[in-house]
């Protein structure tokens, strides 16, 4: 079902955003036609590469992250900071914050996550439960799994990686705290990992970029352009590494969407984007999202996009 901090209430289409930039990313790194083993590559508008049939893969029951059974920690616990990356590497000296969307235990804390928080322009719920596949694989478990894989890939390149949470708190963090963690870390890039909960037949990924917003504590004027650069690079390389196509229901097939209603973006003072890796309610997309091998490709695509952005 739709949820507040990652899915618009109704499908929206936008012009082809930065298609030329997406093509440039592909050409500067590798051909977008490199494709993934899950069924070929759908090129982004304006990019090189061929159009292939929609990818599919059998579901896998591996790697859902279990909830801890020990006593719940203090929800005000500090963010889950991982050890810095290698002393040397192409991303040495860079800090990346990964924000795994939702929390597997949010469903047990509805009162807490329904609490309203200030996102600058309005007030919204602290967090939401997220969605799931029809078989019950929760978005929150998907996002944490991909975030762990992404952390490993970025640390191997020398980056310092911070997770907003790591299954170490009973619920949340709230959307304002998620933004604050990236700000306090003075992150060079922040990516919030999600999966969508739309109608059957709606397929593909999209990257959400911050809109120009100013009001209260929200002022995105300094991050709109660098966030667009980060997002277009992730979109182009996600296509290459996963073989997935851009969303056919959001973003006008560009793989990009702009939102002004997300607290995680509105309150960020550092470059930040969301990525909806696919639609958990579509059986074909769900087969990908529940595949451990595809989740590794998704993490690789996000990591390559971040790396491309940080290297300039």
């Amino acid at each position: 079902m739709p949820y507040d901090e990652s899915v618009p209430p109704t499908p929206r289409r936008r012009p082809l955003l930065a298609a030329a930039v997406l093509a440039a990313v592909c050409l500067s790194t590798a051909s977008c036609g490199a494709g993934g083993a899950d069924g070929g590559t759908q090129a982004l508008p304006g990019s090189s590469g061929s159009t292939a049939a929609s990818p599919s893969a059998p579901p896998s029951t591996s790697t859902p992250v279990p909830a801890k059974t020990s006593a719940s920690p203090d929800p005000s616990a500090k963010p889950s900071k991982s050890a810095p990356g290698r002393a040397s590497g192409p991303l040495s000296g860079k800090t990346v914050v990964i924000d795994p969307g939702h929390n597997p235990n949010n469903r047990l804390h509805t009162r807490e996550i329904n609490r309203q928080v200030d996102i600058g322009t309005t007030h919204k719920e602290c967090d939401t439960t997220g969605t799931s596949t029809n078989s019950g694989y929760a978005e929150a478990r998907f996002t944490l799994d991909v975030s762990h894989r992404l952390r490993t890939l970025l640390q191997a390149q020398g980056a310092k990686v911070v997770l907003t949470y790591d299954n170490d708190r009973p619920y949340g963090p709230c959307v304002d705290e998620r933004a604050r963690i990236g700000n306090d870390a003075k992150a060079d890039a922040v990516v919030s990992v999600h999966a969508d909960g739309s109608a059957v037949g709606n397929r593909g990924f999209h990257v959400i970029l911050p809109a120009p917003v100013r009001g209260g504590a929200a002022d995105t004027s300094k991050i709109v352009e660098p966030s667009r650069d980060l997002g277009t690079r992730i979109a182009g390389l996600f296509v290459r590494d996963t073989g997935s196509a851009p969303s056919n229901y959001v973003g006008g097939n560009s793989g990009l969407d702009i939102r002004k209603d997300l607290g995680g973006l509105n309150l960020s003072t550092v470059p930040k984007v969301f990525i909806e890796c696919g639609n958990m309610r579509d059986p074909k997309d769900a087969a990908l999202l529940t595949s451990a091998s595809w989740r590794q490709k998704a993490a690789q695509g996000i990591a390559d996009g971040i790396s491309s952005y940080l290297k300039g």
Side-chain angles (χ1 to χ4, degrees):
M1 63 182 177
Y3 48 90
D4 204 35
E5 279 294 314
S6 55
V7 179
T10 56
R12 298 172 297 165
R13 300 181 67 85
R14 293 185 178 277
L16 298 182
L17 298 172
V21 177
L22 292 170
V25 170
C26 296
L27 293 172
S28 67
T29 54
S31 171
C32 280
D38 283 311
T41 299
Q42 171 73 45
L44 285 166
S47 68
S48 60
S50 60
T51 302
S54 297
S56 62
S60 167
T61 58
S62 61
T63 69
V65 180
K68 290 189 176 181
T69 57
S70 57
S72 296
D74 182 350
S76 64
K78 293 182 179 180
S80 305
K81 295 185 178 181
S82 59
R86 299 179 306 180
S88 62
L91 300 185
S92 179
K94 301 295 186 181
T95 298
V96 178
V97 171
I98 305 170
D99 179 29
H102 312 288
N103 182 319
N105 294 318
N106 276 356
R107 61 187 178 82
L108 304 176
H109 297 273
T110 55
R111 182 179 62 82
E112 291 89 346
I113 68 169
N114 285 334
R115 177 174 62 86
Q116 296 284 300
V117 298
D118 186 357
I119 67 166
T121 55
T122 186
H123 287 75
K124 296 187 76 170
E125 292 84 357
C126 157
D127 201 7
T128 57
T129 60
T131 189
S132 68
T133 65
N134 291 334
S135 63
Y137 180 52
E139 178 191 1
R141 299 199 183 284
F142 168 83
T143 64
L144 197 56
D145 179 89
V146 172
S147 295
H148 286 158
R149 296 169 188 270
L150 177 56
R151 175 176 62 187
T152 298
L153 292 168
L154 294 171
Q155 286 179 333
Q157 297 185 67
K160 175 184 177 182
V161 180
V162 177
L163 266 62
T164 57
Y165 91 99
D166 194 4
N167 215 26
D168 52 0
R169 53 196 299 165
Y171 64 87
C174 294
V175 296
D176 56 341
E177 183 182 355
R178 290 174 186 267
R180 189 162 56 250
I181 290 168
N183 298 344
D184 291 347
K186 296 181 173 55
D188 297 287
V190 184
V191 176
S192 189
V193 181
H194 286 265
D196 212 345
S198 189
V200 174
N202 290 342
R203 296 200 61 199
F205 77 92
H206 63 279
V207 179
I208 303 174
L209 313 177
V213 170
R214 180 173 292 179
D219 183 358
T220 63
S221 58
K222 293 182 180 179
I223 70 163
V224 166
E225 289 307 316
S227 296
R228 180 187 296 270
D229 186 17
L230 172 63
T232 54
R233 290 173 187 268
I234 289 174
L237 293 166
F238 197 85
V239 167
R240 186 194 72 181
D241 290 343
T242 66
S244 291
S247 170
N248 63 7
Y249 64 101
V250 172
N253 297 115
S254 69
L256 302 174
D257 189 30
I258 298 175
R259 299 274 295 272
K260 63 180 180 180
D261 61 321
L262 301 181
L265 296 180
N266 288 2
L267 298 175
S268 183
T269 60
V270 293
K272 181 174 182 178
V273 300
F274 282 45
I275 180 166
E276 299 280 4
C277 295
N279 176 19
M280 299 197 101
R281 291 298 186 176
D282 178 83
K284 292 181 179 178
D285 269 11
L288 299 178
L289 298 166
T290 54
S291 164
S293 63
W294 188 89
R295 292 196 298 272
Q296 185 63 33
K297 293 174 186 177
Q300 188 68 62
I302 300 169
D304 286 347
I306 294 170
S307 179
S308 173
Y309 168 75
L310 294 178
K311 293 175 185 176

